[in-house]
């Protein structure tokens, strides 16, 4: 009598145990490689889009910056004040270093004042008085040539950055790089 074999039996005959293990091992290896490649790709992408808080924000050209020691510019959507002191421009994080309230600019007194517990800060973010433990936090800032895209000057530590002669150069703030203000005595 003829032997009856199912398709599964045929497959079993063709693929012995060793071949099956080799195949499973290769499939696992491929799966892991794909996962690593996917994770590497995701990590290499910027987490924030340009222009949104957490990413790099273009604030305007050198010519559009306020005069030195004039009132700061408010950028509420990206959470900073742009100050131009006699030492240069700087971007101050809008959140008070005491308990996180949003402080305001007081035009008449020419300083920042927090409405919650009264901490005060100079135009450059330096602590004046109140319960805040340190000066205002600031963001890294850079100036880029509009034509070439080359970085002309930058302040990675949040210190004031003097404006260059090039009035068309672009001022950019990296809101992903926050530098803590100095604690006061
Ligand atoms: Fe600003 Fe307390 S949160 S002084």
């Amino acid at each position: 009598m003829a032997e009856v074999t199912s398709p599964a039996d045929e497959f079993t005959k063709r693929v012995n145990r060793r071949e099956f293990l080799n195949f499973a091992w290769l499939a696992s290896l491929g799966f892991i490689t794909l996962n690593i490649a996917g994770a590497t790709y995701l990590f290499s992408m910027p987490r924030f889009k340009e222009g949104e808080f957490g990413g790099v924000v273009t604030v305007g050209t050198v010519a559009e910056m306020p005069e030195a020691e004039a009132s700061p510019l408010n950028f509420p959507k990206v959470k900073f004040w742009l100050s131009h002191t006699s030492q240069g421009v700087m971007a101050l994080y809008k959140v008070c270093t005491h308990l996180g309230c949003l402080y305001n600019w007081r035009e008449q007194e020419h300083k920042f004042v927090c409405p919650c517990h009264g901490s005060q800060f100079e135009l450059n973010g330096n602590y004046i008085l109140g319960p805040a433990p340190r000066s205002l936090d600031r963001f890294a800032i850079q100036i880029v040539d509009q034509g070439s895209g080359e970085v002309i000057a930058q302040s990675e530590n949040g210190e004031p950055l003097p404006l260059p002669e090039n009035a068309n150069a672009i001022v950019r703030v990296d809101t992903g790089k926050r530098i803590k203000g100095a604690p006061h005595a």
Side-chain angles (χ1 to χ4, degrees):
M1 194 170 114
E3 189 185 347
V4 179
T5 56
S6 69
D9 291 338
E10 285 298 318
F11 179 78
T12 308
K13 278 181 194 163
R14 272 190 272 121
V15 182
N16 65 29
R17 189 164 184 273
R18 178 182 292 247
E19 285 168 336
F20 176 76
L21 287 175
N22 279 343
F23 173 77
W25 184 82
L26 281 173
S28 306
L29 192 66
F31 181 73
I32 291 168
T33 306
L34 272 177
N35 270 298
I36 292 173
T40 306
Y41 174 75
L42 286 176
F43 269 110
S44 68
M45 297 297 286
R47 285 174 54 220
F48 299 97
K49 286 189 200 133
E50 180 153 341
E52 70 180 22
F53 182 72
V56 176
V57 177
T58 297
V59 292
T61 63
V62 166
E64 290 167 338
M65 294 300 105
E67 291 292 314
E69 300 301 322
S71 300
L73 296 180
N74 188 3
F75 290 85
K77 281 190 183 156
V78 280
K79 303 181 187 172
F80 63 80
W81 288 90
L82 188 97
S83 287
H84 186 187
T85 71
S86 52
Q87 275 79 47
V89 289
M90 51 197 312
L92 304 170
Y93 185 37
K94 284 189 74 110
V95 174
C96 178
T97 52
H98 180 219
L99 294 177
C101 288
L102 298 181
Y103 58 85
N104 302 309
W105 174 251
R106 287 257 185 98
E107 192 63 48
Q108 311 256 301
E109 299 159 59
H110 205 71
K111 63 187 172 192
F112 295 107
V113 179
C114 181
C116 292
H117 313 98
S119 289
Q120 299 185 8
F121 308 90
E122 294 176 29
L123 177 66
N124 63 5
N126 284 354
Y127 170 86
I128 301 173
L129 60 84
R134 62 180 195 274
S135 295
L136 296 174
D137 297 345
R138 53 244 16 223
F139 294 113
I141 193 165
Q142 61 178 206
I143 296 169
V144 178
D145 183 88
Q146 195 164 172
S148 66
E150 180 193 345
V151 175
I152 299 169
Q154 60 184 337
S155 170
E156 287 287 311
N157 59 7
E159 290 298 305
L161 187 61
L163 292 176
E165 297 285 310
N166 183 352
N168 290 323
I170 299 287
V171 180
R172 290 153 57 101
V173 173
D174 188 348
T175 58
K177 286 187 187 160
R178 178 155 61 96
I179 300 101
K180 282 193 169 183
H184 59 82

